[in-house]
Amino acid sequence: MEVMAAKKVSVFHRMGAQPAKKSVVCRYWANGNCIKGDNCDYFHGERPPPQTGYVHYNQARSKTWTNTNSSCNPKYGNGSSLSNKGGKFSNASYQKPPRKVSTKSLTFVRSELEKNDTRKAPIKQCGDWVRGNCVRGDKCRYVHSWFSGSGFAMLAKLEGHAKGITGIALPSGCDKLYSCSKDKSIRAWDCNSGQLAGSVSTVGEVGCLINEGAWLFVGLPNVVKAWNIQNQAEFFVNAPGGLVCSLALDNDKLFAGMEDGTILVWKLNAESNTPELIAMLKEHHGAVCTLVVGANNRLYSGSKDSTIKVWDTYNLQCLHTLSGHTKDVTSLVCWDSYLISASLDKTLKVWSATESGTIKVDYEIKDDYEVNALCGIHDAEGKPILLCAYSDNTVRLYELPSFTERGRIFSKGKVEVIEVGIDGLFFTGDANGDVSVWKMIGAPCMAES
């Protein structure tokens, strides 16, 4: 599938007088339909270099971002290798650590996205092409593809769920990719053929799915179930509080974010080898949509009550309440010393700790669409990429720390799940029940050990 290159347009911040019209990109030219030609008052091309009265807003204090091995990162990888050799995509057991990327000092672009800031024309998918009836062909100004941009490609689309995807997992050393859905089922997909390998029905809607090594953990109404796909061991723990909306693991503790706002905590009993409920954290006043474990024994929780809570994973005390969002907090990602949050209030926020010990918003991006999911990955050159799912049925790939858009993924329904593997692979699950497999082009495929 052809990868369509997106134009790169610099970001500028207005200071002083209004710019000359020729410094503003013609939106009709960008869409390929300006009829004024040389007589147009606006610029036909990428924005020219900054003029007097303009500064490139890249003057903020330096921030350091590290690779996905950073201790602050949530555990994206799962110790398994998924490559595109030998079939649609194949999985091989891998024991060596991922390639390390040296830490680089980078600077945030701190300008707000003002109305007069024409960074690039919107990228839109052709709806007629999706329906199979576009008659414009190469003359169509919209994208005829499931993605636009450079440096990544689709490997497979897995269809079969009847409702929205709520979780995706690839257990270590396994040749099956697992997905769960609101259709009350868990499906296993063969990594070599991309075909359905098996499925199991659940009593109720599946709220979430994660894995640790060979273990799969599934959040269901009032219960968490776990299966070991290698030795077929299994157990379950009661989870009062409605649907289990989110799960996280940290050493010997299992955390569950509940529909009623409670966070349940279990600790593994070494003697019985079973988890025991040790705490019920009741600080949120809405469903706990997302949980992520960060550095320095911290747990971060995002809720429908629009707040983010910061917890000590040792003593289970709430240390901070972050109140910057105005609607549901849908997703959290830790990256080096930063916390990135997404919300239905149509914003992304980057949080950092101050010298006094508080946590503040360091940067914010506002958009026209709600943000449903986040995940972090690195490209073949080790550059950090943030994957952001929006309610316009797209996933945007942003280069960090500038938030320059690298590309865009299109979907039939809004994407609510993004999961990252190693070797540059990542997975998206949408509201229509489709799971898509993607790969960063040029990312190394690690050999089987």
Side-chain angles (χ1 to χ4, degrees), residues 325-347:
H325 288 292
T326 58
K327 291 186 178 180
D328 305 15
V329 178
T330 55
S331 191
L332 298 171
V333 168
C334 288
W335 213 319
D336 195 29
S337 58
Y338 296 94
L339 177 71
I340 304 177
S341 60
S343 172
L344 297 186
D345 65 8
K346 305 177 183 180
T347 67

Side-chain angles (χ1 to χ4, degrees), residues 244-255:
V244 179
C245 301
S246 53
L247 289 166
L249 288 157
D250 180 46
N251 296 320
D252 60 349
K253 292 188 180 72
L254 171 65
F255 301 90

